[in-house]
Amino acid sequence: MRTPRGMIAAAVLAAAGLLAGCGAPGARLAAATGSQGSRDAAMTTAIRGVMRQWSVPGTIVGAWQQGQAPYVRAFGVSNKATRQPMTAGLYMRIGSETKTFTVTALLQLAERGKAGLGDPIARYVPGVPHGKSITLRELANMRSGLFNYADDRAFQRAFDRNPERQWAPRQLLNYSFRHPLLFQPGTAFAYSDTNTILLGLVIEKVSGQSLRSYITQHILKPEHLTGTLFPAGAEFPSPHAQGYTNQTSTGAVANATNWNPADAWAAGAMISNLANLHAWARIVATGELLTPAMQRQRVQFLPTGMPGVSGGYGLGLFKVSGWIGHNGSIPGYQSLTLYLPSQQATLVVLVNTDIGPAYADLTSLIGRDVTRIITPRNVYYLPNP
């Protein structure tokens, strides 16, 4: 779901009709020959086609599939000024993929009895409109009805004035709480960063740690995800790609590399790289950090309520045509991390721009064209509403 700030992931799921009967360039060749070389060539052609159509500066793609050698490629440039080539090991901002880490942290704490998914948010965070009726589960599966603060015009103006500002979570929530509920809690689906900001505050309250510290200690370190971090502000480890956006007050293209992701915090501030996201795709989709009982709750994917749309959203995860994961968009960067349990396949896509079509993120277009080739019975596509 692209907001005016462009910092959250698409939250509606692929229509089956959009997935049928479509063939990316080279897909028929790959299917006909079945060779590794033709498969890789077809993917390369498809990726370059999306990049060319939408003037994407740089892209990193990794695809891992049983019976096939890994496909890991970097395309284009990481810096438009210097023309430095994109490489597969660069750090990238991952936007709303952060939600998969935040909700994993919440579920770990729920397993330890520190919080209950059926608890009202009012038990942990005061001042939430209808906080006695909104549960932690409804926040995690985007069914709270709370307005997305990123859609508030006053917030957008404040961000435009100073994209390097260090926001506090409560400041973000204030923009949401000015608005009435979109619907009664639990009765519908609406993707909102407000939900995950509140869950970040719950994690801090019940764990006694900062969200950054908890995720580092209980998720990143145990899984040896040394290339993933939750920044305190605008810091960005090197080497990283420059990121380009037109999410400015004038619509002019800007370099957003040093913009502060604190305006997304628990909903979108994290940084990672291809190797770590390859590992995380399986970890989060299979519930490696959770008990089987908690993972079963996590992957209860509820429908979005949109006509003709298949798949669903669980607790900080979506499912599209069998693929489980999340995508992310933040000014200058887009990402996609997916795992297909039936084939033990993984796909990761990273791009250093969020300038693309209104109807879908760039990573969704690449993900669609790649999965048409590698898993034609499980084609991923996530349109923007």
Side-chain angles (χ1 to χ4, degrees):
M1 182 187 304
R2 181 187 298 273
T3 65
R5 284 270 53 84
M7 66 183 180
I8 65 175
V12 296
L13 305 172
L18 291 172
L19 305 181
C22 299
R28 288 187 295 275
L29 171 64
T33 64
S35 71
Q36 178 80 42
S38 61
R39 166 185 173 266
D40 290 0
M43 282 195 283
T44 296
T45 298
I47 294 162
R48 286 179 171 161
V50 174
M51 292 181 67
R52 183 170 54 252
Q53 181 178 4
W54 298 105
S55 301
V56 178
T59 301
I60 304 168
V61 177
W64 297 263
Q65 190 177 19
Q66 279 192 318
Q68 301 281 358
Y71 176 93
V72 176
R73 302 284 191 279
F75 303 87
V77 299
S78 65
N79 187 316
K80 294 199 298 184
T82 66
R83 308 306 295 176
Q84 185 173 355
M86 183 72 87
T87 59
L90 297 179
Y91 288 99
M92 303 280 274
R93 300 196 187 278
I94 61 172
S96 281
E97 289 199 46
T98 302
K99 292 177 175 69
T100 64
F101 293 90
T102 298
V103 175
T104 298
L106 173 73
L107 299 180
Q108 287 181 331
L109 290 164
E111 286 181 342
R112 292 162 50 194
K114 298 289 187 178
L117 296 181
D119 291 346
I121 185 60
R123 181 174 299 178
Y124 305 97
V125 182
V128 180
H130 303 275
K132 293 182 179 180
S133 332
I134 298 170
T135 66
L136 303 189
R137 185 188 303 276
E138 289 163 346
L139 294 169
N141 64 17
M142 300 293 172
R143 303 178 78 85
S144 73
L146 289 169
F147 185 86
N148 186 4
Y149 68 86
D151 291 337
D152 181 89
R153 292 186 180 278
F155 167 77
Q156 293 164 12
R157 289 193 296 269
F159 185 93
D160 286 339
R161 286 193 297 269
N162 184 10
E164 298 179 3
R165 174 177 173 177
Q166 182 69 32
W167 292 85
R170 292 279 185 168
Q171 293 172 319
L172 302 173
L173 293 175
N174 287 340
Y175 289 103
S176 170
F177 296 168
R178 298 173 180 178
H179 299 266
L181 287 183
L182 302 176
F183 47 78
Q184 288 301 307
T187 63
F189 173 92
Y191 191 95
S192 173
D193 282 357
T194 302
N195 296 326
T196 321
I197 299 297
L198 285 167
L199 293 180
L201 292 176
V202 172
I203 292 163
E204 293 195 330
K205 182 177 180 65
V206 302
S207 71
Q209 297 178 260
S210 69
L211 179 62
R212 179 190 187 199
S213 175
Y214 184 92
I215 287 176
T216 301
Q217 180 179 344
H218 295 276
I219 298 176
L220 303 182
K221 286 186 176 179
E223 297 297 335
H224 309 288
L225 299 176
T226 57
T228 304
L229 69 149
F230 198 121
E235 67 268 26
F236 204 161
S238 293
H240 59 256
Q242 302 292 297
Y244 302 93
T245 187
N246 60 0
Q247 307 250 357
T248 60
S249 58
T250 63
V253 176
N255 186 323
T257 308
N258 296 320
W259 289 10
N260 193 338
D263 68 304
W265 192 51
M270 289 181 69
I271 294 165
S272 191
N273 60 27
L274 179 71
N276 275 205
L277 293 175
H278 172 209
W280 180 243
R282 180 191 55 79
I283 292 166
V284 71
T286 62
E288 184 171 306
L289 286 165
L290 303 173
T291 64
M294 184 59 75
Q295 181 68 3
R296 284 194 294 272
Q297 293 191 62
R298 178 168 212 171
V299 295
Q300 292 176 1
F301 296 102
L302 300 178
T304 63
M306 298 184 65
V309 173
S310 63
Y313 200 87
L315 301 180
L317 286 175
F318 60 70
K319 185 175 184 179
V320 176
S321 193
W323 290 93
I324 297 173
H326 217 288
N327 65 343
S329 184
I330 195 165
Y333 302 88
Q334 289 184 346
S335 64
L336 176 66
T337 297
L338 300 170
Y339 185 75
L340 182 60
S342 65
Q343 298 192 34
Q344 298 181 37
T346 302
L347 175 65
V348 178
V349 181
L350 300 163
V351 298
N352 63 339
T353 184
D354 63 330
I355 304 171
Y359 58 81
D361 283 356
L362 295 162
T363 55
S364 182
L365 301 182
I366 294 172
R368 176 196 61 190
D369 289 354
V370 167
T371 56
R372 283 173 176 165
I373 296 164
I374 66 172
T375 56
R377 294 183 180 180
N378 301 90
V379 177
Y380 168 89
Y381 182 69
L382 193 64
N384 289 327

